Amino acid sequence: MIFITGATGTIGRELIRILAAGGEKVRAMTRNPANATSLPAGVEVVRADFTDPASLAKAVEGATAMFMLTAPGPWVVQHDEAMLAAARSAGVRTVVKLSAIGTGEKTDVEVGDWHLPGEEAVRSSGLAWTVLRPSSFASNALRWADAIRAGTPIPNPMGTGVQGVVDPGDVAEVAARALTSPDHDGQVYTVTGPELLSVPDMAEQLGHVLGRTVETVHLPLDDYRDRLSAAGLDPAFVATAVNGARLVAEGGNATLTGDVERVLGRPARTFSAWAQGHRTAFTG
């Protein structure tokens, strides 16, 4: 039994699809089972909450491997530690943690290193472990869908800073390999796409897919902060998001690796291929 947290999110849903298609027995954890109705047939859905240890212990019972994903924020360490405690008590043997690119690295721009304590807890858990540190997801471009459909420029707080934008499907495939094979035990994979891209680069590639020009407009970091705050996001999350945008703009996330190809035996998918596969999201 493979136990999946974050089961209704971008990575979780794709990971479950891959595992179920491969014949694996899968249990999906969610706080709201009503959101899990589109998961593949045969997947067991359980309700649990990271803040409720009893629910975690019941949910993970009988599992042999676990994918650990917690939404980014200052609460990550508490959620990771609670989930690991439940997993150890239940006899889970393997854990794959979704972390973030750059975790533990020193930079000139302060960003929330929320995943580092969780990585350290995983390493010292006594379980077989793998850590995945993905770069910026291609699916983050879906946030631009309304603007693109309306024909308005994409707001860009990152200037011409580039990142190794990665298809979330590749992240899920790497996770599936790590959950089902001991070949990846003790590995830290920095999961990136095959090319470094800026927001204007992605806008240009989206334009090619859509057959029209997609423009960007500079968004000052103070305005970006105001937008995030107005959306009601946690102040710590807002501060980290703004500093993260500054880090990218200054070239601090210009990282490419071959870890996708190393694990999967094929090149990482391009942003253009991802955009082609999600074209209707931008056309309505």
Side-chain angles (χ1 to χ4, degrees):
M1 169 74 74
I2 300 177
F3 180 73
I4 308 296
T5 70
T8 59
T10 301
I11 302 297
R13 283 184 182 275
E14 181 64 10
L15 174 57
I16 289 169
R17 185 195 66 76
I18 293 167
L19 291 171
E24 301 291 344
K25 190 176 181 182
V26 180
R27 181 183 295 155
M29 171 184 144
T30 176
R31 288 181 299 177
N32 185 1
N35 293 336
T37 55
S38 64
L39 294 180
V43 172
E44 180 185 356
V45 178
V46 295
R47 187 205 167 278
D49 192 298
F50 289 116
T51 62
D52 180 357
S55 74
L56 297 179
K58 184 177 180 180
V60 77
E61 193 173 76
T64 55
M66 177 177 71
F67 179 67
M68 193 166 72
L69 183 160
T70 55
W75 46 81
V76 167
V77 59
Q78 289 84 5
H79 290 185
D80 281 353
E81 289 175 348
M83 193 71 255
L84 277 172
R88 284 195 301 268
S89 295
V92 170
R93 298 191 295 270
T94 299
V95 59
V96 175
K97 173 175 166 55
L98 190 76
S99 183
I101 192 168
T103 294
E105 296 178 4
K106 299 299 182 183
T107 66
D108 293 335
V109 179
E110 182 180 352
V111 293
D113 220 351
W114 295 321
H115 288 286
L116 183 58
E119 286 194 13
E120 293 171 343
V122 163
R123 288 188 178 93
S124 62
S125 66
L127 309 180
W129 59 268
T130 308
V131 169
L132 308 183
R133 294 176 175 175
S135 188
S136 178
F137 294 152
S139 55
N140 290 344
L142 294 172
R143 300 170 185 169
W144 307 332
D146 288 344
I148 290 173
R149 285 195 296 267
T152 56
I154 295 168
N156 174 23
M158 301 177 189
T160 57
V162 294
Q163 305 183 78
V165 179
V166 64
D167 186 327
D170 283 351
V171 180
E173 283 194 45
V174 171
R177 296 290 180 91
L179 286 164
T180 57
S181 170
D183 294 345
H184 310 286
D185 291 354
Q187 298 297 311
V188 178
Y189 293 125
T190 297
V191 189
T192 76
E195 55 191 340
L196 291 172
L197 298 172
S198 65
V199 171
D201 292 333
M202 287 186 280
E204 182 178 5
Q205 292 192 18
L206 279 168
H208 289 315
V209 168
L210 299 174
R212 61 183 177 84
T213 300
V214 175
E215 297 181 340
T216 66
V217 62
H218 175 61
L219 179 65
L221 290 177
D222 286 343
D223 293 348
Y224 183 44
R225 179 183 293 105
D226 291 344
R227 287 192 183 197
L228 296 176
S229 298
L233 297 175
D234 183 276
F237 182 92
V238 171
T240 294
V242 171
N243 285 342
R246 178 180 290 110
L247 179 70
V248 172
E250 295 177 357
N253 197 31
T255 298
L256 287 182
T257 76
D259 285 353
V260 168
E261 186 164 10
R262 190 171 297 115
V263 174
L264 302 182
R266 62 158 177 82
R269 297 185 183 97
T270 64
F271 177 77
S272 180
W274 175 90
Q276 188 65 54
H278 294 79
R279 186 178 186 279
T280 57
F282 301 97
T283 63

